[in-house]
Amino acid sequence: MSDPLREDLASIPRYVPGKAIPDAVKISSNEVPYGPLPGVVEAITEAAENVHRYPDLGVVELRGVLAERLGLPVERIVTGTGSVALIGHLMQAIARPGSEVVYSWRSFEAYPIAATVAGLKSVQVPNTPDHRHDIDAMLAAVTPATRAIVICSPNNPTGPAVTADELDRVFAAVPEDVLVVIDEAYREFVTDPACPNAVERYASRRNAVVFRTFSKAWGLAGLRVGYMVARPDVADAVSRCVIPFAVNTAAQRAALAALRAEGEMRRRVALVTSERKRTVTAAREFVPDVPDTQANFFWLPLGERAVEFAAHCEARSILVRPFAGDGVRVTIGLPEENDAVLEALRAFIEA
Ligand SMILES: Cc1ncc(COP(=O)(O)O)c(C=O)c1O
């Protein structure tokens, strides 16, 4: 009897969520530690009155506000249940037999999953020794089978963002029928002026696709809402892959409320980036090769000791995210949480 299941699904690595242990310091999932933005809980409470109704299928108000903020026509914006869902939908929209997608490795763990599920071949290009995208090698990996090149900026889990010079080179080098996909989940945390806002700089390029999310700086990880900016036909194709009514009413209302609290979001992001500077500087005393980070996390390249360090942290009720044999990603938390992980690191290195 033949098996109805696809053989290749069994080999897909599973997405590993950050652990949840009550009362532990949770700095494993790149969340912002300050709770929902002002107005968000009220918006969700109000939305709760209407959960017997389907949400607005077209996400009209939220997409309209986003379009106005970005200065783009609304048909160029697609929303989804987190940008991770939209990444999957884009891959579905471009997959044809034999198609390839180029991305750096190590990068966001959802890329290989989304690519395989969609039926795309992943072409993973190793990062440079300082944990950045190797732009030249990525460009060299583009072939006539390539449908998209994914740039994760800042790169999860290693931290560096790509510069305008690097992205300019990508757009200059790849043919227009290859999508340049820029994942800006952590854009709000970027402080290096050399690293561009991809929507502002590249939205006029026909092959530019940019992903953004409300999960990180905007504090809505639990509600699952993200968006994509692309040219209208690409946006239309991706929107056909989105499950109907994907973004629920609470998420739509909460995202609108969060956007109204932009000043507070920026204030919180400034706290994170100042803590980032302090924490990374201190961490480098123990692990000198911590790479630059433009996100709300940093990378400890501990190699074979990665899992051991995560266990050492867990024994102290601190949850970080290990990548076996490679390194550990640590989210910037509250000052006392950052102090706790620095102390754990000191004890680990000096033991
Ligand atoms: C680089 C990157 N892109 C996208 C996402 C997806 O975020 P969400 O699906 O919550 O919008 C994440 C989440 O960790 C991420 O790190």
Side-chain angles (χ1 to χ4, degrees):
M1 210 169 64
S2 71
D3 190 332
L5 300 175
R6 280 168 49 180
E7 310 77 45
D8 58 343
L9 291 184
S11 64
I12 296 179
R14 277 198 186 274
Y15 192 102
V16 181
K19 279 192 183 175
I21 297 178
D23 299 325
V25 170
K26 187 168 184 283
I27 45 176
S28 49
S29 298
N30 299 342
E31 299 145 336
V32 167
Y34 310 108
L37 285 164
V40 163
V41 171
E42 293 79 355
I44 296 168
T45 308
E46 216 178 294
E49 300 282 346
N50 276 308
V51 293
H52 58 300
R53 304 282 182 205
Y54 280 103
D56 169 15
L57 177 82
V59 196
V60 171
E61 188 176 349
L62 177 58
R63 288 173 56 242
V65 170
L66 289 171
E68 204 175 295
R69 288 170 60 92
L70 301 172
L72 294 171
V74 73
E75 60 272 16
R76 297 191 55 186
I77 295 169
V78 185
T79 51
T81 47
S83 49
V84 74
L86 290 167
I87 291 165
H89 298 322
L90 176 74
M91 302 243 183
Q92 290 168 324
I94 61 175
R96 269 165 280 177
S99 301
E100 298 177 354
V101 55
V102 172
Y103 54 90
S104 92
W105 203 249
R106 180 170 294 281
S107 189
F108 183 32
E109 64 188 307
Y111 300 154
I113 301 173
T116 307
V117 169
L120 280 171
K121 181 176 168 230
S122 284
V123 178
Q124 299 184 337
V125 179
N127 289 323
T128 61
D130 53 350
H131 310 280
R132 303 178 58 81
H133 282 17
D134 187 336
I135 295 293
D136 290 330
M138 290 177 80
L139 291 176
V142 172
T143 72
T146 309
R147 300 272 169 242
I149 177 169
V150 182
I151 310 280
C152 187
S153 182
N155 187 46
N156 176 11
T158 62
V162 295
T163 63
D165 286 351
E166 288 173 320
L167 271 177
D168 287 355
R169 277 202 287 131
V170 173
F171 278 100
V174 302
E176 221 182 43
D177 60 1
V178 173
L179 296 177
V180 178
V181 178
I182 307 159
D183 184 346
E184 290 197 327
Y186 303 94
R187 170 65 211 166
E188 293 82 356
F189 302 102
V190 173
T191 51
D192 182 348
C195 303
N197 172 327
V199 176
E200 277 174 16
R201 191 173 176 95
Y202 302 107
S204 60
R205 302 282 186 145
R206 278 191 50 72
N207 52 341
V209 178
V210 183
F211 289 105
R212 297 267 179 90
T213 182
F214 283 94
S215 297
K216 311 294 177 184
W218 299 94
L220 296 180
L223 279 179
R224 316 302 304 122
V225 49
Y227 61 97
M228 184 194 90
V229 175
R231 68 172 197 250
D233 62 328
V234 173
D236 178 67
V238 170
S239 72
R240 288 167 194 271
C241 300
V242 175
I243 294 160
F245 305 109
V247 182
N248 68 60
T249 306
Q252 294 187 31
R253 305 313 302 177
L256 285 161
L259 289 171
R260 287 193 290 273
E262 182 175 2
E264 175 62 11
M265 182 279 284
R266 301 255 169 240
R267 193 187 72 82
R268 293 176 182 195
V269 163
L271 293 176
V272 169
T273 54
S274 108
E275 270 298 289
R276 174 178 79 193
K277 193 167 177 206
R278 178 185 80 85
T279 310
V280 168
T281 304
R284 282 188 182 134
E285 284 180 30
F286 310 114
V287 183
D289 50 352
V290 172
D292 173 52
T293 173
Q294 295 294 310
N296 66 333
F297 55 82
F298 63 97
W299 178 246
L300 291 168
L302 293 173
E304 293 307 322
R305 298 195 75 193
V307 170
E308 186 191 343
F309 177 65
H312 165 87
C313 286
E314 196 174 323
R316 296 166 168 241
S317 282
I318 302 168
L319 305 176
V320 293
R321 175 72 165 85
F323 294 82
D326 201 352
V328 176
R329 190 191 67 202
V330 182
T331 305
I332 299 295
L334 298 171
E336 57 272 26
E337 296 175 332
N338 305 328
D339 287 342
V341 81
L342 286 170
E343 173 51 27
L345 186 60
R346 186 196 60 72
F348 183 76
I349 297 294
E350 290 178 358

